Amino acid sequence: MAATAAPFAAFVMDARTGQEIYAQNADTRLHPASLTKMMTLYLAFNAIERGQVRLDSKFLVSSHAASQPPSRLGLKPGQRIELRYLIRAAAVKSANDAATVIGEGLAGSEAQFGAQMTQMARALGMRNTNFRNANGLTTEGHYSTARDMTILGRRLFYDFPQYYSIFSRRSADAGIATVSSTNRRFLDSYEGADGIKTGYTRAAGFNLTASAKRGSKRIVATVLGGTSTAHRNTVMAQLLDAGFGKAPTRVREVKPAPPQLVAEKKVRRTVQVASVAPSSPGSASSQVQLSASDRPVARASTAAVVTPAAISAAVSRAQAAAAPAPRAAGDTLAASARPNRKPGAGPVANAAVDPNVLARAARPAARPEEGDASEALAPAAGDEIQAVRPTPAPRNDQSASLVEPAATGSASLFVQAAAAQPERMALLGTPAPAPRSETIILAALEPDHGAPEATEIVSRGSGSGKGWGVSLGLYRSQQEAEQLLLKTALQESASLGSAVSRVANTKRGFEANFVGMSKETAELACGRMAARQQDCKVLGP
């Protein structure tokens, strides 16, 4: 079942510590719309830092990418465009065609890129997220939550600070056009806001993940299911205000740990066969554990030339060791090599990767292929991007050629970094490098468990729920009722417990309710609200 839009979902976090400040429907699986592009950009920045691609690498535009609905940059099939322009278009304008080109260019197809996005999400702790495409257009099985998007927004700030300033850009040069930010209104209206990403489809409503800094405090928050741009921005401002009010002034910063990833290197020459692991109980699939060598020649006792015959032999041995049943089509191969791994380091966990990886091991990375045009229920509006760096020491820092030196109202992280390392600026005019002989495919430590679980469906203005609840009265508009519920939830989070807010559309007006409470909780909450001169009455089951 596909997720649908909720009446309202929100999550507020102290970015310095990752601690929750406020949550409402935070783990309900909903349509993220163009907030999806945060992960697309995260993986793009990650690929740059690993040296898989450069900002001046040119990506081929497929007919599938060019056919994406607005918002788009206007790319044409067969066109080649530098990655830096694709990133700017996806981050600032939220261009769907640019995001699709990035996904196809990094993974070979949008479907494979969606799988890599989901694997990275698991590694970052996003437990209720599943990606099917790079741009966030509505499709079955593509969902996330307010909590998970907030986690991703925080990781972009901490993992890739050298690229983060792109999210505060009001406009950018995207090569074939100058694009304007979809988040300009909020950036201009909220003090301290410096990102991150907007999103809109008819199915999702108006979404926003935002980050702001005031003094020593930084708050990151997500709103899903807004009824308009103005409503979404107003609610976000209230959430951030509440976050700054509740967050302590002095706190020990706890930076997020690097994502738990391993990389499978596709190397032309040699691969060490480390061991064969049987499949898990009840599973027909088997796994071959391989350790890739960065050196031209591996030890003779364990090295094997990567040929079709060698691959076939390794798979056959794995099947015999795992189970007598024939291997299923969805079987996976696991790799244990980690990029930049020091000699003598201990073993690492295995990650599931595409079985076709070994078949392509002796070849350079395939160029982007055209994908089948996918039907979207509604066009997504443009949004911004950010990226996170999982490794503390990047090999190729090219942030200088991503973010233009135009003034943005405040000194950007990139400009400060470029001043310290002038050589970054030289990348602005460097030609694209020669094709690399290897590529790296990331996979999360957590294995893929097959098809995603059925997601719950929550519709706008649905029912009053079961059990006891409280009513805050009738209001002329749904927006007015939702704002009161939000304000009350922030003030009475302790007494309301796990109560859920609901707006009931009645003949007399929009009734603001909290439901899903016990009788004792409802009476306590109503008593506290009455003490603050707030109209309130207890609702029975």
Side-chain angles (χ1 to χ4, degrees):
M1 297 172 66
T4 64
F8 180 76
F11 190 79
V12 183
M13 176 191 293
D14 187 332
R16 300 166 299 174
T17 62
Q19 291 297 308
E20 173 184 326
I21 294 177
Y22 172 75
Q24 183 174 347
N25 297 329
D27 296 310
T28 301
R29 294 174 175 180
L30 307 171
H31 296 294
S34 285
L35 299 191
T36 298
K37 295 185 180 76
M38 291 195 293
M39 181 59 80
T40 300
L41 293 169
Y42 186 99
L43 290 182
F45 294 135
N46 190 37
I48 294 167
E49 295 302 299
R50 294 196 328 269
Q52 178 185 348
V53 293
R54 295 171 60 97
L55 283 167
D56 52 12
S57 296
K58 291 190 175 182
F59 282 26
L60 178 66
V61 179
S62 70
S63 59
H64 170 61
S67 68
Q68 297 301 298
S71 173
R72 58 189 174 198
L73 181 59
L75 301 173
K76 305 299 182 183
Q79 179 180 358
R80 291 186 177 274
I81 184 169
E82 292 183 10
L83 177 57
R84 64 164 57 86
Y85 297 133
L86 296 171
I87 290 175
R88 292 172 186 169
V92 177
K93 182 180 175 58
S94 193
N96 294 320
D97 52 357
T100 301
V101 173
I102 292 173
E104 292 178 341
L106 292 178
S109 72
E110 191 171 42
Q112 292 178 351
F113 188 66
Q116 292 184 14
M117 294 169 73
T118 302
Q119 289 170 343
M120 178 63 84
R122 296 292 182 272
L124 297 179
M126 301 165 63
R127 302 301 179 190
N128 288 292
T129 293
N130 194 75
F131 293 114
R132 297 294 193 194
N133 58 50
N135 52 36
L137 289 170
T138 306
T139 189
E140 184 177 359
H142 188 100
Y143 57 80
S144 188
T145 68
R147 184 189 304 273
D148 283 0
M149 287 291 109
T150 306
I151 290 173
L152 180 55
R154 179 178 186 244
R155 296 304 297 244
L156 285 169
F157 173 78
Y158 274 105
D159 293 354
F160 294 101
Q162 71 274 36
Y163 300 115
Y164 182 76
S165 63
I166 194 172
F167 296 103
S168 63
R169 294 300 304 269
R170 272 63 171 180
S171 64
D173 175 11
I176 65 175
T178 297
V179 295
S180 299
S181 172
T182 61
N183 198 30
R184 181 164 41 191
R185 290 184 186 178
F186 186 76
L187 291 172
D188 290 342
S189 64
Y190 192 83
E191 179 186 357
D194 55 14
I196 300 172
K197 189 77 186 74
T198 65
Y200 168 76
T201 62
R202 283 194 292 266
F206 293 81
N207 299 345
L208 174 62
T209 295
S211 178
K213 185 178 187 299
R214 290 182 182 176
S216 63
K217 302 179 183 181
R218 176 172 287 275
I219 303 298
V220 59
T222 296
V223 169
L224 300 179
T227 57
S228 67
T229 298
H231 172 243
R232 176 196 67 195
N233 291 351
T234 298
V235 171
M236 178 59 75
Q238 293 174 344
L239 290 170
L240 292 175
D241 285 345
F244 283 118
K246 287 193 172 185
T249 301
R250 300 182 63 181
V251 68
R252 180 180 178 182
E253 186 178 36
V254 181
K255 295 182 179 180
Q260 298 300 303
L261 294 170
V262 294
E264 189 273 339
K265 276 194 174 183
K266 296 191 294 183
V267 185
R268 289 190 187 189
R269 295 191 178 183
T270 61
V271 172
Q272 291 182 358
V273 178
S275 61
V276 176
S279 60
S280 58
S283 172
S285 64
S286 59
Q287 294 183 339
V288 179
Q289 299 177 1
L290 300 176
S291 176
S293 171
D294 290 331
R295 296 186 295 275
V297 180
R299 288 179 295 179
S301 60
T302 56
V305 177
V306 180
T307 64
I311 295 169
S312 177
V315 173
S316 298
R317 289 194 296 273
Q319 291 173 329
R327 193 169 156 229
D331 291 351
T332 58
L333 300 175
S336 59
R338 187 184 299 273
N340 302 325
R341 185 167 176 77
K342 295 183 180 179
V348 296
N350 297 306
V353 298
D354 193 313
N356 296 323
V357 167
L358 285 181
R360 300 193 303 268
R363 301 197 303 269
R367 294 190 300 181
E369 300 175 356
E370 293 185 3
D372 296 331
S374 58
E375 180 179 358
L377 298 182
D383 305 336
E384 301 90 272
I385 5 174
Q386 313 158 313
V388 180
R389 178 179 53 198
T391 54
R395 296 190 307 186
N396 291 326
D397 189 344
Q398 302 183 64
S399 57
S401 29
L402 170 63
V403 184
E404 307 135 81
T408 62
S410 61
S412 69
L413 291 172
F414 157 68
V415 172
Q416 297 170 10
Q421 300 186 28
E423 66 273 17
R424 294 180 180 176
M425 301 301 296
L427 293 173
L428 285 167
T430 54
R436 297 173 60 86
S437 63
E438 61 181 47
T439 60
I440 301 175
I441 296 180
L442 288 183
L445 286 175
E446 182 177 323
D448 184 6
H449 296 293
E453 301 175 1
T455 55
E456 62 178 306
I457 297 180
V458 182
S459 58
R460 299 179 191 270
S462 60
S464 58
K466 298 180 181 179
W468 293 77
V470 297
S471 171
L472 307 188
L474 295 168
Y475 297 88
R476 289 175 295 179
S477 68
Q478 181 177 343
Q479 180 175 341
E480 186 178 0
E482 287 179 349
Q483 289 179 349
L484 175 62
L485 288 171
L486 172 61
K487 179 180 178 181
T488 304
L490 293 170
Q491 293 173 335
E492 298 294 342
S493 57
S495 62
L496 287 169
S498 59
V500 178
S501 64
R502 289 286 185 269
V503 176
N505 187 359
T506 71
K507 294 181 178 180
R508 297 179 298 161
F510 293 90
E511 185 177 17
N513 300 326
F514 285 102
V515 299
M517 309 165 71
S518 66
K519 180 179 180 181
E520 294 76 13
T521 302
E523 291 176 344
L524 173 62
C526 220
R528 290 175 59 92
M529 294 179 206
R532 292 190 293 100
Q533 309 304 314
Q534 168 67 55
D535 292 338
C536 178
K537 71 175 181 178
V538 176
L539 302 175

